[in-house]
Amino acid sequence: MLKAPKQIYSEIRESLYLILRLSMYETKSMYSMQYLGFLWELVTPILQISVYWFVFGFGIREGRDIDGVAFLPWLVSGIIVWFFISPAITTTARSVYSRIGLVSKMSFPLSTIPAYVLLSLLYRHFGMIVVSFVLLAFFGYYPGWHTFWLIYLLISAVALLYALALLTSALTTIIRDLQNLLMSVMRMMLYLTPIFWLPTGWVQQVLQLNPLYYLVEGYRSMFLGTDWIVENWEWGIYYWAIVIVLFFVGSNVHMRFRRYFIDYI
């Protein structure tokens, strides 16, 4: 049971340079045929936020604040991490079977594939974080001591997403239909996390069982300067328990089936 997680950890540690190089290559190849290149990673989310702001802020909420915060900064502070989470989950899930050509030409541990794909998406996330800080500064929310929570939140997000990627990349290679199911689930999760609305009562308690809830509210707390992360430390323990379980399960599933991946592709 412990052998697989230890081996995965060892492979990642020994392949850090390779992961870094491949993630940079992944990023460059993605924008090689586009005039605006990386700017699309900023323009597209900004356009989406504008639509959400108009529909939910002015249409549904009629311009009302949420917990004393104007809707736009409240929306931006929570949705930024979603723009990282959602593509990371769906992209890393298909990372192994969609890169079989690379696997056949190079010799490296398959566990590094979800890792470098995730890292390439993290570069884009850094750009959106900078844009968010600039935008929120116009509303009076400036960086402060609470900004240091960003380091913890980035580590938390990457840990969860990689643990989940080990599991989903193995399962979707074996059962390709799971990719479509996963994309449908992520569409639902967009509305089942506190991005556009603030749940209360028993609904909030149920939705908090979703670990993505912790990340969204954590980012919102970091950007807006509240103490939500500290005040909800028990949900932090729950979150890391989920991460550890996913890593153990994902590592064992990955090691159990990866010798047969080529047979399923």
Side-chain angles (χ1 to χ4, degrees):
M1 185 70 177
L2 295 177
K3 183 179 179 180
K6 289 181 179 178
Q7 184 169 345
I8 294 292
Y9 172 76
S10 178
E11 291 175 351
I12 295 299
R13 184 185 60 188
E14 296 171 1
S15 305
L16 284 178
Y17 179 72
L18 176 64
I19 293 172
L20 179 61
R21 291 295 302 272
L22 288 175
S23 67
M24 295 176 66
Y25 171 79
E26 180 85 4
T27 303
K28 291 179 180 178
S29 63
M30 184 175 299
Y31 307 117
S32 60
M33 301 299 292
Q34 301 176 9
Y35 289 111
L36 294 181
F38 182 78
L39 287 178
W40 281 116
E41 296 302 326
L42 304 179
V43 172
T44 302
I46 290 174
L47 291 176
Q48 288 182 266
I49 290 173
S50 300
V51 173
Y52 293 145
W53 180 32
F54 179 78
V55 173
F56 291 94
F58 289 103
I60 297 178
R61 296 195 56 82
E62 299 179 346
R64 296 191 302 271
D65 295 346
I66 297 183
D67 276 354
V69 180
F71 184 76
L72 181 58
W74 189 86
L75 171 66
V76 170
S77 60
I79 202 172
I80 289 304
V81 67
W82 183 262
F83 287 140
F84 172 50
I85 292 172
S86 182
I89 291 177
T90 56
T91 304
T92 56
R94 63 174 183 268
S95 60
V96 173
Y97 73 76
S98 63
R99 290 165 177 78
I100 190 59
L102 181 63
V103 173
S104 62
K105 295 177 182 178
M106 299 177 63
S107 177
F108 57 85
L110 293 180
S111 60
T112 60
I113 296 180
Y116 83 75
V117 172
L118 180 59
L119 184 58
S120 68
L121 295 171
L122 187 60
Y123 298 150
R124 310 183 216 173
H125 185 50
F126 289 150
M128 285 306 304
I129 289 175
V130 173
V131 172
S132 300
F133 276 123
V134 174
L135 178 60
L136 290 172
F138 284 101
F139 287 87
Y141 297 98
Y142 301 101
W145 67 266
H146 49 85
T147 307
F148 289 103
W149 279 112
L150 178 61
I151 300 174
Y152 165 76
L153 291 167
L154 287 173
I155 294 174
S156 302
V158 170
L160 174 67
L161 293 172
Y162 181 69
L164 188 60
L166 284 174
L167 178 61
T168 57
S169 62
L171 294 179
T172 54
T173 301
I174 299 171
I175 308 173
R176 208 63 54 83
D177 289 347
L178 290 178
Q179 179 69 31
N180 295 327
L181 176 61
L182 187 61
M183 294 178 67
S184 299
V185 169
M186 293 311 298
R187 293 190 189 100
M188 291 188 294
M189 285 298 172
L190 176 62
Y191 301 99
L192 292 178
T193 47
I195 296 176
F196 305 115
W197 61 296
L198 186 64
T200 57
W202 67 268
V203 176
Q204 180 183 24
Q205 296 297 317
V206 172
L207 294 183
Q208 279 186 307
L209 296 176
N210 173 14
L212 302 184
Y213 189 108
Y214 181 77
L215 288 178
V216 171
E217 282 300 322
Y219 265 73
R220 185 167 283 140
S221 172
M222 181 272 298
F223 277 118
L224 300 181
T226 65
D227 295 325
W228 188 90
I229 298 178
V230 177
E231 294 172 353
N232 293 271
W233 58 268
E234 65 275 12
W235 286 109
I237 296 176
Y238 168 79
Y239 176 89
W240 282 103
I242 294 294
V243 171
I244 293 172
V245 170
L246 280 175
F247 182 68
F248 273 77
V249 174
S251 298
N252 281 276
V253 171
H254 177 88
M255 296 302 299
R256 171 66 178 81
F257 291 103
R258 77 175 181 181
R259 70 181 66 177
Y260 306 113
F261 284 167
I262 193 65
D263 298 328
Y264 288 101
I265 299 177

